[in-house]
Amino acid sequence: MTPLGRTAAHSAMRGIGVLALFFQLFLTLVWFFTGDDEPAARAGRPPLPTTVEITYIVTGAAGTGDVRYTTQGGTLGRDDAPLPFKATARIERGTSITLYAQNPGESKGRQITCTILADGAVVKQSSDSGDSATATCESTVGEDPPLPGLKAPDTTPRAQPGLAEGESRLTKVVKVKDYPGKGSPVVGRVTDDDARISYAEFGGDWGKSRAVDPHISGNDQEQRFDTEPKWQAAIVSGVVDSDLMDHYTGRDRHRALATAVMDEAQKYDYDSGAGRDVASQPITVGGRKGWVVVREIRFVKPGIRAKVDLGATVIVDTGRVRPAFITIEIPDTHKRLWPDINALIGSVRTTS
């Protein structure tokens, strides 16, 4: 090639190089300002997927919570969802989503947490504590970076879904143990005419049994004594509240109702605490079927020495529409009187 031809060729090559440089700069600017991945793909980079796998997670110590979450198909969720709750959906980039979680009204100060994962990474998380507390997580799909140091919450289902942390309920028959000691002397019998049952009245530390207004307390009879200035032992009886009768269905209705009555007593007598069933067994009283549940309730209250109450609920089908119940609670400061639980259970009789 002549010197003139070589010069022309070199000039042409330099021109092509300049054009390639400008084209690459153009692709970079287009991607930067528009987010368009097609130029990136043409430049050798794979395009981003148009959707992201979103995981919605709600965890909480109360055991249940109301959950709502938005997807491209609308708002989904459920009330009283067993926790941990988990749902997954593929959502288009740029979509605004929300995860909302609310504690039960009686959550005893426990925490509830919402978490949103994008392709497995935590991008949003929020917590709150208390009765009816709410946690809300909001995100724009594909735009929120992973939160440093946060791992996805454990979503392993609990052995007994719907129960708060530290709670357990027996699902098999476990007989009531014989608590050691003499317990209180029996000085008479209490007759609950409305419930159509009678049972032992104790002396010693116990005050005299008395009739009370069931419209105020939910009980017909009460026997109590102060175990310390701000705490009591108690025996109460009456007719099962109508609000609990939804539990009285099916072959296992006696166990279910006894557990529900014990749960109700725990809810109203303890601001915080965790109940663990230690006995659950059928009984027969005057030819009528019944059930006994015994529970250890652990709690912490300022200024209260007691840390555990041993409680028992007896329900008896007396033939009326609603069964009778008896509940006894004695704190660990007076565990010498825990044999009163055995004596009370053994003393129950039906009346005409």
Side-chain angles (χ1 to χ4, degrees):
M1 183 180 291
T2 64
L4 181 60
R6 285 196 299 269
T7 301
H10 289 164
S11 297
M13 293 299 293
R14 283 196 302 271
I16 292 172
V18 170
L19 286 173
L21 180 61
F22 273 107
F23 183 66
Q24 183 62 47
L25 179 61
F26 170 75
L27 292 177
T28 302
L29 291 173
V30 168
W31 175 83
F32 182 81
F33 286 106
T34 70
D36 181 13
D37 282 309
E38 291 186 4
R42 289 193 295 269
R45 293 193 306 274
L48 291 172
T50 59
T51 61
V52 176
E53 183 180 78
I54 298 297
T55 304
Y56 309 83
I57 296 175
V58 177
T59 54
T64 62
D66 294 345
V67 177
R68 298 289 184 275
Y69 60 99
T70 58
T71 68
Q72 287 183 286
T75 301
L76 303 174
R78 60 177 291 189
D79 294 334
D80 296 322
L83 302 183
F85 171 88
K86 179 180 178 181
T88 302
R90 294 208 68 88
I91 309 293
E92 290 184 1
R93 292 180 179 275
T95 303
S96 296
I97 58 173
T98 301
L99 172 59
Y100 167 90
Q102 184 174 28
N103 254 344
E106 298 286 342
S107 62
K108 303 176 182 178
R110 294 185 171 100
Q111 187 178 79
I112 191 165
T113 300
C114 66
T115 305
I116 294 178
L117 277 60
D119 286 336
V122 176
V123 294
K124 290 292 179 180
Q125 190 171 80
S126 177
S127 299
D128 199 2
S129 300
D131 294 350
S132 301
T134 59
T136 303
C137 294
E138 297 177 332
S139 178
T140 301
V141 176
E143 295 185 8
D144 294 318
L147 296 176
L150 286 185
K151 295 182 178 180
D154 183 10
T155 57
T156 303
R158 292 176 179 167
Q160 293 181 301
L163 290 181
E165 290 180 355
E167 299 263 345
S168 67
R169 303 290 182 266
L170 288 171
T171 57
K172 62 181 180 179
V173 172
V174 176
K175 291 187 176 181
V176 179
K177 67 176 287 187
D178 289 325
Y179 291 96
K182 289 180 59 177
S184 302
V186 175
V187 296
R189 290 193 67 79
V190 177
T191 299
D192 189 328
D193 290 326
D194 194 30
R196 296 185 182 178
I197 56 172
S198 69
Y199 50 90
E201 180 175 7
F202 296 108
D205 292 335
W206 290 93
K208 186 173 178 58
S209 180
R210 64 189 183 93
V212 294
D213 188 344
H215 297 98
I216 297 175
S217 66
N219 310 316
D220 296 328
Q221 295 284 151
E222 294 184 355
Q223 186 174 18
R224 300 177 181 270
F225 73 90
D226 292 333
T227 58
E228 51 186 296
K230 296 182 179 180
W231 206 244
Q232 289 186 325
I235 301 171
V236 300
S237 66
V239 178
V240 173
D241 191 290
S242 58
D243 289 342
L244 299 180
M245 290 302 292
D246 286 344
H247 298 275
Y248 197 54
T249 59
R251 296 180 59 185
D252 205 28
R253 62 187 180 277
H254 299 94
R255 180 210 302 267
L257 187 60
T259 300
V261 173
M262 189 78 249
D263 287 346
E264 193 77 355
Q266 179 180 328
K267 181 171 71 173
Y268 283 103
D269 293 344
Y270 305 87
D271 292 333
S272 61
R276 183 178 71 90
D277 287 356
V278 294
S280 181
Q281 71 169 75
I283 61 170
T284 301
V285 178
R288 310 296 302 190
K289 291 183 178 181
W291 202 276
V292 179
V293 170
V294 181
R295 182 175 300 174
E296 292 178 352
I297 304 172
R298 300 182 180 276
F299 60 94
V300 175
K301 279 181 171 287
I304 303 298
R305 291 187 296 113
K307 303 302 178 188
V308 179
D309 267 16
L310 185 64
T313 289
V314 180
I315 68 107
V316 180
D317 178 1
T318 60
R320 301 184 65 184
V321 174
R322 288 183 282 153
F325 78 89
I326 310 167
T327 295
I328 178 171
E329 296 169 346
I330 303 174
D332 58 348
T333 54
H334 288 66
K335 62 172 57 180
R336 60 184 173 81
L337 300 183
W338 283 0
D340 292 359
I341 291 176
N342 299 109
L344 180 69
I345 295 170
S347 73
V348 179
R349 301 289 184 269
T350 57
T351 62
S352 57

